[in-house]
Amino acid sequence: MAKLNVSTVFDKPTFRQFLAIVMVLWLGLGGLLAIAIARDSATTASTDPLVTPIFYLILFVGSSLWVWWQYHRHHIELKTLVGKWPHRADLPYLIGLWVLLFMFSLGAFQVSFALLSYVFPEFVTTTLNESLFLGADKTAIPWLYNLLMVLLLVVAAPVLEEFIFRGFLLHRWGSRWNPPIAVLLTSVLFGSLHGNVIGLTMFGLVMALLYFRTSSLGVVIAVHALNNAIAASLEVIMRLTGHSEPTTLEDFRSGIWFGAILLAAAMPFLAKFIRRNWPSRKTPLPYWTNRDRTLTG
């Protein structure tokens, strides 16, 4: 077998090419939506909230398929990128790590948005009263909207986001620069694309390090899916128990201390995990770790 040049395998596709594809998909979908809105007969349907999950599913799936196609063209093995589920996966450890991440994310949201509410009260109020799931008064086909939201949150987002951020960008930037920079950049970008920036930046950071630790994208996807499934389940429980009334800013601000306690409780353990699993500049990327195991196994 010919020796591969490790430094050039992930030269293609580039991040700029990926952004271009995302923009083409975004503009294409936006153009179709604009055309639909311009037609009087389609106004109601095109502005239905049902459009949102469909829009994002097409965007996620389309961009991921493009990356997969590029990997196939450049002989990057998807099986090696994903890796194997560890034979001795420490499930209590993974669940404990998820609990800490959930605590940190919830605490970061509570504290950051409570402080933000003094500057942008209307934005925070709107965010607090948004719902993942809608009734018949908000969308024409509520059961389809809610089903698509579950599919998006619990299946599509964990699989496709991890493939893009950890499978693609972590390897692209890790090869171009080095693993520590790639971990930081992918985590900050991941957090920046979500509302809870601080909480989701930490989530992205831990997911990247967990990928280095296990060399298994499947493990990372499973933790991500568990996180989203629990978050969605909590909202369903609140709706079923009648605790989904609008939240006032005063009530929300009063919980800032609870958020601070969650942050204080989770941060020492997460800091320990980060310190123990932080990669060096010479740490091999998960793809190469899995490839070496295949060649020697």
Side-chain angles (χ1 to χ4, degrees):
M1 182 178 294
K3 186 176 180 180
L4 293 176
N5 187 343
V6 173
S7 63
T8 61
V9 169
F10 288 97
D11 278 356
K12 300 288 181 152
T14 66
F15 180 55
R16 282 176 294 181
Q17 291 174 327
F18 174 74
L19 276 183
I21 292 298
V22 171
M23 289 303 299
V24 168
L25 288 171
W26 187 283
L27 292 174
L29 291 170
L32 291 174
L33 185 59
I35 293 172
I37 292 175
R39 298 176 59 184
D40 294 338
S41 60
T43 300
T44 301
S46 60
T47 56
D48 191 292
L50 185 62
V51 172
T52 300
I54 295 175
F55 185 97
Y56 282 104
L57 278 171
I58 295 174
L59 193 65
F60 272 126
V61 172
S63 57
S64 297
L65 285 175
W66 179 82
V67 173
W68 173 82
W69 174 61
Q70 290 293 316
Y71 275 180
H72 180 72
R73 286 185 59 205
H74 295 92
H75 310 291
I76 297 172
E77 300 172 358
L78 187 61
K79 182 178 180 180
T80 304
L81 189 79
V82 173
K84 297 180 179 179
W85 186 273
H87 292 297
R88 297 181 180 180
D90 192 344
L91 293 181
Y93 179 86
L94 293 175
I95 293 174
L97 184 63
W98 165 77
V99 170
L100 291 170
L101 276 174
F102 199 82
M103 290 171 57
F104 183 93
S105 181
L106 185 60
F109 177 82
Q110 182 78 47
V111 172
S112 63
F113 272 71
L115 295 176
L116 190 64
S117 69
Y118 291 99
V119 184
F120 302 106
E122 292 184 0
F123 167 74
V124 173
T125 300
T126 301
T127 301
L128 292 176
N129 295 316
E130 286 179 344
S131 178
L132 292 174
F133 306 106
L134 301 179
D137 58 326
K138 298 290 182 64
T139 180
I141 315 176
W143 68 266
L144 180 58
Y145 175 90
N146 294 334
L147 178 64
L148 288 175
M149 285 302 296
V150 170
L151 176 64
L152 181 62
L153 289 169
V154 183
V155 180
V159 173
L160 302 179
E161 284 186 350
E162 293 307 326
F163 175 65
I164 291 171
F165 283 92
R166 262 57 76 176
F168 166 46
L169 293 178
L170 185 70
H171 285 85
R172 168 60 186 158
W173 290 337
S175 298
R176 183 176 182 182
W177 294 299
N178 57 62
I181 290 179
V183 168
L184 288 174
L185 287 178
T186 54
S187 303
V188 171
L189 179 60
F190 182 80
S192 300
L193 294 176
H194 294 79
N196 183 7
V197 177
I198 297 174
L200 272 296
T201 296
M202 174 62 78
F203 187 88
L205 180 64
V206 172
M207 291 301 97
L209 297 180
L210 185 61
Y211 189 23
F212 271 100
R213 179 187 176 96
T214 63
S215 297
S216 172
L217 200 60
V219 168
V220 178
I221 289 171
V223 175
H224 194 152
L226 175 64
N227 181 78
N228 289 10
I230 296 298
S233 298
L234 288 177
E235 177 158 346
V236 170
I237 291 172
M238 290 181 65
R239 288 173 65 87
L240 292 176
T241 56
H243 291 85
S244 58
E245 295 83 2
T247 303
T248 65
L249 282 183
E250 290 73 17
D251 290 340
F252 182 69
R253 289 168 179 166
S254 67
I256 191 171
W257 299 111
F258 176 69
I261 291 171
L262 289 177
L263 287 176
M267 194 61 228
F269 298 98
L270 291 176
K272 184 177 181 180
F273 174 85
I274 293 169
R275 185 175 64 254
R276 286 186 172 181
N277 295 282
W278 189 256
S280 70
R281 294 172 62 90
K282 296 183 179 180
T283 300
L285 294 165
Y287 183 87
W288 299 115
T289 300
N290 288 329
R291 190 171 186 275
D292 289 343
R293 288 174 180 171
T294 301
L295 294 177
T296 58

